[in-house]
Each structure stands twice: as structure tokens, then as C-alpha cells.
Amino acid sequence: MWLKPEEVLLKNALKLWVQERSNQYFVLQRRRGYGEEGGGGLAGLLVGTLDAVLDSTSKVAPFRILHQTPDSQVYWSIACGSSREEITEHWDWLEHNVMKTLSVFDSNEDITSFVQGKIRGLIAEEGKGSFTREDDPEKFREGLMKFEKCFGLPEQEKLVTYYSCSYWKGRVPCQGWLYLSTNFLSFYSFLLGAEIKLIISWDEISKLQKTSNVLLTESIHVCSRGEDHYFSMFLHISETFLLMEQLANYAVRRLFDKETFENDPVLHDPLQITKRGLENRAHSEQFSAFFRLPKEETLKEVHECFLWVPFSHYNTHGKMCISENYICFASQDGSLCSVIIPLREVTGVDKADPANRGVNISTKGKTAFRFTEVRDFEQLVTKLRMKCNATSSPQHIINTEVAAGSGSDSPKDFDAGPSKMGQRDNSKTVGTEALMTVYHPQDAENLDSKMLKEKMKEQSWNILFVERGHGVSMFRTKKTRDLVVRGIPEALRGELWLLFSGAVNDMASNPGYYTELVEKSLGTCTLATDEIERDLRRSLPEHPAFQSDTGISALRRVLTAYAYRNPQIGYCQAMNILTSVLLLYAKEEEAFWLLVAVCERMLPDYFNRRIIGALVDQAVFEELIRVHLPQLTDHMTDMTFFSSVSLSWFLTLFISVLPIESAVNVVDCFFYDGIKAVLQLGLAVLEYNMEKLLTCKDDAEAVTVLNRFFDSVTNKDSPLPPAVQQGSNLSDAKSDHPKVDITDLIRESNERYGDIRYEDVESMRCRNRLYVIQTLEATTKQNVLRVVSQDVKFNPSDLEELYDLFKKEHFLSCYWNVNRPVLQHHDAGLPYLDQYRIDCQQFRVLFHLLSPWSHCANRDSLALWTFRLMDESSNCLINFKQFACVLDTMYNGSFTDKLKLLFKLHIPPAFTEVESLSPAKGGGLSKEELIHFSQLSVSSVGDSLKGDCLKSSPEKGKGKVDIQAYLKQWQDELLKKEENIKDLPRMNQSQFIQFSKTLYNLFHGDPEEELLYRAIAVVTSLLLKMEEVGRKLQSPTSPVENPVDGTETSAEISRKGQEESSSEQTEGSREQSLRGNHEWSFAFEQILASLLNEPAFVRFFEKLHDIKVKIESAKNLQLKARTRV
């Protein structure tokens, strides 16, 4: 490998290198200790240690070439090689292409300059496009070479970056190198002859966090498969941890939770992942989440600057962040000031006050934003003008402020006519009014005390709008938050929810999208629509808006449209409760975009099948309880109590536990502060009830305490009529509990826990996501092992190891083949047994590693037939139960069981003619052939099989899980009788020949090999004679023209079994002689009875095999086997 020329002082290197070749301008050296017997003694051992500890390529490249000039002590390293052949090739190239040219130069400086330029040109040509995305391409090439040499992973494994660090073995630190690649965390160290090599796949990590203790000031703790690993002494530990967190999270999303993994151009192809790309992605995700922008926005530029705040008359310091469609600003001086300026709203960008490097941005709302002390402000103005021109093309712009709809239908119009007709009409009409304005219009003439307070709230917001702007580009400050905490006025609630959630931007970018979606989704019938219909009447049933077709139809349209938009989520319980509240205060289309914002951005992964997002936030909540309420955690022996009681808090934003008039205040804070608001309120609720919870003796008592507390929460300022307010309908029995005002509770939660930072919450989310995923996986594993253990004789530890190998093989197929269908085979919605399945190619690898019959010469054919036998549903996939049961037969089955398995492998549907299609190939099958043969059964059975496949996998295609099909399948398994050997079909002559050959292959290498071969010859001869006699008895009058000589035939089969390299012509003549004019076949009872008479046979099949040895070997070889494949 050519290296970027670097100076080397030869005097200091003489003890580490041995000179092998030299000429006037170049020197070829070998590393001391390499290629010498005994490793070069102590000097070689020390050199090896230095190579591993220092940032040197010499551990990988024991040869190098230096460029020298006469009369100079300074040399230049220009090439290195891992083998003598590689370095000799470089040396020869220099002698033939460079040496002759150097003689024309007069000065040594010219010679050195020419050589350096030539080498740099070679590097640029050699690595064109390969490492251009890396920060330091030359250094990265060296690191990549070292990574490939040390770990031997497949070429497709993409190294992202590497760091020097220490790995702690007990109390001893081992200095080495940590390599982060797309699928693995790897560490290598070589100290005084002791080599440490560690490879951990990201999908096995359950804990990843920064820690510190007495020994380690700051380290990274990695927990995998119950083992703890500590890495410390990083130069930039925060940067390292961020990348590790991203890679682990990416692997988890890609492998465990495929339904939320989108076709991201950056992450979809692991080969495209780079350190810089991951860092940029992290910043973009943080940027879009903080400012509530669409997920597609990527952060392009960040400028430190000052923003003039006109209402406060001062400049606030912060950062201007620019993406494709937005200019955002966030202060960093504690003033909590932020601004979002969509480019669609910008009317002009100008230079202002060149002395202060100012930029003026004017918007349609006649607001001007002045940024000063902007670096390269002139270039920024030019770029922004170009962006604004690009986005100012004619398009339908939606007004971001909520205006009263004109000519809207009254409730009476909606309810006119029969209910079915009304429902049908409503399903086609998108509502243009918030339900609250229809059912509870405010009476401007009769103002009671509550309405006066409401009007005062509105006035406060109107003053804020005058001072700080109105609409998406308003200044958001501490005063904005204070007003939100007090509760948003009813009349402004829908508009401000849309603004603070960022849904206003989604709606502005997609005009007409919702109406089109409603038309497309109308009349669709899926599992989601069935569940929606079932839950419609359960959504705020006490509210008048949802006691008529008006509200019900609007709710149906929004939920069905969203299920159509996002089939991965579809519909999840709790979405109906949330959407019904949104519809009360927002127009129908606005409610839809609010739901999109909640499900896809603000509460990610909450509403999928496993509600992973909610479980993650519950884990974050538990972590915050430990920090802020330690006395409560000391009292509660089991922290799962908090998870069980708080699940509905997170899924419904407290709507399901609080009266509606109080819950909307929580939703106000949620749309402004995100999940942080829910976490803060949860802590405040627990602290408020601390004394009562500490006296509770069990969980049930604690739940009762919390339920009574929620019933006592009121909103004394709510202008809603008493008929709608849930808090006012409490029975007298519960009225003895002191009332708690929701505004006071929210204010207290902000005062006590407002210091919880958004960045800390996101970091805890990332950390706990790994834990939650691994906990769910452990549950799946326990359930699968419990079911399978009833049908096999393996002990629990061996069965668990087999499951890990089976699952690992599934993931190894996903690591480097993103587009393979196998990625779709993990479906968390399926029964536990079917969540992980493997195909024929994956099974072949495991068969070679684990089967006691894997030494067989035709092992590929055996693997294929075994797979076809297990693939009862003919979908070319098998689950762990099928895999474990067939291995159990091979290891723990009786003589009859093993023989029956071999017999079934050589008859349909398992058996297929493999060698006859490629006789010259022998037992080996290519990947393509293997897949082709494994799928033959599908085509042979015909179209009826496709129907069976749909029944066995009812969730495919229709998006609807057929529960009845699963119940029937379960019932069939329960009623399945023990297979009777008399029910087995007969084996014809070609199948019997292959069966005999397989037996010969199995016996090869056995101590009793000769005895077994003779026994087969005897049994074959006996069977053929029995068949011949039976045929004569059945048809005594028909003469046999070409009688089959049993002894000759059995001898011929015996010879064929021992001579694997028989020719195709001999094969054909043998089968012709066997066939004669009559087909013959054998029943399993005949073969079993004949073989039982041969003790050698019985001893061979009853011989015990230790699967533990195979398992340990498989764990070490599985990755290498995948590399070879």
C-alpha cells in the first residue's frame, strides 16, 4: 500500500527494523521479529507491543519502503506491505518506473519533490472515491488495513472510525484500539505477547453509557450478553460515545424494529455510513426535533450571531441554524428566546450595518429580523437570496393563522335524515370547524366570572402577539412559556397547538393532501379500520360532539386517513382518545396534521405494535424518579409499578386519567415543551402524593391513591359548561379529597423540575431504548424456549445456546444485505415462534456447524432435504421449533427415530433429484442452486399452495392478521397424532440408491467403517431378494425377462458408495440395470427390520454425540462461516 510521504529519522529506527534491500534512492526494510523463529526474542516481543499500543501501521504491515537521498539523515516512508510479495511488487514498480527518471535531476530536493508528487498521485488514483468522505483519507486507509487484518470480517463490513483507548480487564488497563463499524464494536490489543481481541455486535448491546468511578475518571460502559466491558482514556470521549450511541441505535432500528426503519438514503446502505455523515445526521435530528420541523429537514449551516429583540431592546446571543426551508435561531444566554422563519414567509434578505456584519430578513407578516456579528455575512446574504428565490415559485400557500370558517354547516344540518344516510354524507365531507366552536359557542353578551378570566387570558395573548409577532415566525420567550403554563384560551388553543407542534409547517407544505387521503381511504377494509370502528363510540362518549354523527364521522375520517398514510402504525388504541381531543379544538385537517406530528415526531414509536416509544419513556421516567424522588424508590421494592401505572399517562398525555377540562392544559404544555412536560408532571404527581404512597402496603393501594388524586384535579378557570366538565360530576363520596387545580400543579412541576434539559431527555431515551429492546427480546426468547423445551430433550442451557446461534444467523444475513427479503422476516406482530425464521441458505450454514451428520460428503444435499422436510408451509422459511426438533432427532432420537428421519429425507416432499441435475458437481451446491431447489416444492404443488401460504401468513398482503387461522393451526398441532411408520410412503429405486449412498457417506471415517459397508451390502442384497420374491408371488404367471441379481446389485451399490468419483456413464448404466422391466420399492418397515439385524448399524446410530462441543465450535466459527459464504 502506498503511503503519504512522511519523514523518518533512520537513527532512531535501526533497532526496530532490519534492512533487506537498498539502492541509491530507496530502502526496503522488515520489522524486527517478523518472519523470525520465536518471534525475534525479547526485542521482537517489545516491538509487537509497541505496534499495538502506538498509532502505527507496522503491526499490520511488517514491510516498508523508504525514500532516501545521498548525504542526508532524513528518509521518507512511501509504502508498506503486509506480505513480502506485496512489498516486492511495489519495489519492482519503483525500479522499473522511477529509478531511471531520477537520474535526470540535478539536486536532491528536486528528486525528493518528484518522488513525493508521484506517490501522492498514485494514492489519489488508487483510492479515487473510496475514502474521499473521510476527514483524513490517508490515516483512515491505514486504520482500515489494520482493522481488516486483525478481525478478518467480511469485506462489506464498513469501518466508520477508530480510537486509541484502554480496555479494562479487571483492574488492569490494556492499551489498544477501538474500532467502530456498521455492525460491530471491536477492540484489539497486543501487550508483551498477550493478545486481546474483542468483537461485540451492536444488536447484542443492552447497556451503553458514560460512567465514572474511583479507578476511572470517565469511561464508556458496554453491557453485552450479561458481560460488562469498560473503555477509557479517550481523547474525545463525548464524540466517541455519540457515535457509538448512533451506531447501536441504527442497528437496533434496522434489525429489531424494521417497521419504523424507513428507506433513509444515508442509513439504508451501510456502505455509505461515515463518521462525518453520522455526526451531521445527529445534529440534523437534534435541530429538527428542537424546532419541531419536518423530519426531512437537514441542518446545512450554523452561525454564531446576535439577534435584535425589539420588545426588550437588546441583542441576544445564540446560533442561527439554516436548513433547506427554514432559518431558525435559539439563544444561548439563558433568555429562552427562539425564532423559526420559514423561507416561504421571507420577502427579502439584505445586508445591514456592514460594520457589525448585519443581516436583515423581512417576512410577509411585516416583521424584520436583524442578525449581527455574522461571520461571512455577505456570502450568507447571497445564499439566502438564492434559497428564497427557489422557494418563492408560485404555489398554494396556506395561511398559518386560524380563521373562522364561512358558511359551515350547523349540527342540525349534519343530523338531518336517517342515521345511516347522515353517516354516509358525513364520511365524504371534511369538517371546516373545530367541534368545540360548533357545540359550545361562546356567548359574548352573558359573561360570568370564568368567561371574564378567559377573555383576560385572550387579551394577554393578544398583547404578546403585538409585541412578539403572530404566526409561525413569532418570538418564543420565557413569557410565552408562562402563558402556556396558565392554560391557552379556548379560542386560541387549536391555532397555538398547530404552531407549537410544527404541524403548521407540514400542512403548509402539503396543500390538499388530507382531502385526497380521505377520498383514497374511503371504503378500505383492513384490520385497522375494523378496530377504528370498534373504538369510535368509546372516544369521549360523555361529550356531546361524540354523541352525534358529526364528531364520529370526523373522528373516523382522521383515523382512517392516518392509517392509510402510515400502514406501519395503522391504528393503535389511545389514538382515538387523543384525536377526539384534537378535533374539539382544531379543524379536521389541522387535527390530522397534529396527529401526524404527535405519532411521527413528538412521540416516536409510541403507536406501533410493541409501543416501544412509550416503554422507553417509561424507563426514562423511572430513571428520573431515582434521581429526584429517591425516598420513593427506596420504599418501592419493584420499579415496574411505576411502569404499569404510568403507561396510560404517556400514551394519552393524561387525557385518560384527568378530567377533560384539566387534561387539555397538559396537552398545551406538551405541544410547547414536548415529552419533557409529561415527565415533569408525572414527577409532580408522585411528589404530591409522596406521603400516602410511602404508607401503601401493596401496588393496588398505591393505584387507588393515585386514582383518587386524579379524580380530585379540577380546572377552576375552565369556561366549559358543567355538563361537559368531568371534574364537576364527581360523586359526593369522593368530594372529601382536597381539590387540586391543574394550573397550580403544572406551575409547580415547572418550578421543581424545569431544570430537566431537553438534551438530557433525548440522551436517556437513546440509552434506555437499547435496554427496552433487549428486554422485549429476552421475553420473546423465554416464551420460545418454554414452548420448544416441551418437544425436545436438550437441556435448557444447550437449547438457549442453540436459540442464540439461530437468531445470530438471521442477523448475520441482515448485516451486509440490506435489500434481502430476510430483513422482512422479523415481524414483532407474529407469534413468538415465527418472529425469527431462516431460509435454506442460512440453514445450510447452521447444518454444517451443528449437525452430527455434517461430515457427510453430500452434506449440502442433506441440508437441502432436511430444510424441505421442515418447511411444511412451503414458504421457504423455518422457525426455531422446527430447527430444534430436527437437531434433537439427530442427537437424542432413538435408532428408529434417526432412521425414520433419514428415510423421510429421501422421499418426497423432502427429496429432490440434485445430483442428476449436476452430476459432475458432487455434493456441493452453490447458493443459487440451493435457493432454486428449496423453492421447487412451491411450483410443484401449484396454486392451491399459495392459498395455504396466505393462511399460514395471513398478515402478508392484506395487512390483516387472521386470528382464526392461527387458532386453527394451534389446534391442529395439539391434535397431531404420533406418526405411524405404516403411514410412510414407499421408497422407489432411485430414492433407495440415494439413501444407500447417504449411509455410505455417513459411515466414512467411522472406526467400524468396513464392517458397516459390508452390513449395507448384506441388507441391500436381502431387501432386493425380498422384493423380487414378493413380485413373483404377486404375478406368478408373468415371466421376468431381466431378473435382478440381488447380490450383484448390492455389490454394485456398495462399490458406488465407496467410490464417490464415479462417472456419469456408469451411474446411468447402473440405474438401467436396476430398473429392468419392473419398478420396485421398499416400505420403511422392511428397511428397519433388515437394519435391526446388523449390530454395527444399531451401534452407529445409538452412539451418543455431545452437542456442547458442536455449539462451542459453532460460536467461534459462525462469523467465519458467514464470511466464507
Side-chain angles (χ1 to χ4, degrees), residues 1025-1038 1040:
K1025 286 180 179 177
M1026 289 168 59
E1027 178 64 19
E1028 189 64 26
V1029 170
R1031 193 182 301 115
K1032 287 180 179 178
L1033 290 173
Q1034 287 178 1
S1035 53
T1037 57
S1038 62
V1040 180

Side-chain angles (χ1 to χ4, degrees), residues 155-166:
E155 293 179 5
Q156 303 97 316
E157 182 63 16
K158 174 74 167 62
L159 177 64
V160 176
T161 188
Y162 60 100
Y163 299 96
S164 172
C165 71
S166 292

Side-chain angles (χ1 to χ4, degrees), residues 901-964:
L901 173 61
L902 277 173
F903 183 88
K904 289 166 72 175
L905 293 182
H906 292 82
I907 57 175
F911 182 74
T912 181
E913 293 284 352
V914 173
E915 292 183 358
S916 61
L917 294 176
S918 53
K921 201 167 170 54
L925 293 173
S926 69
K927 178 180 172 182
E928 291 73 20
E929 288 174 327
L930 196 71
I931 293 171
H932 166 72
F933 289 133
S934 68
Q935 294 173 344
L936 282 181
S937 58
V938 178
S939 59
S940 64
V941 174
D943 295 335
S944 61
L945 188 59
K946 295 179 182 177
D948 295 336
C949 286
L950 284 174
K951 286 180 182 177
S952 64
S953 302
E955 74 289 345
K956 304 294 180 190
K958 294 192 293 183
K960 190 170 180 179
V961 179
D962 189 349
I963 305 298
Q964 294 295 330

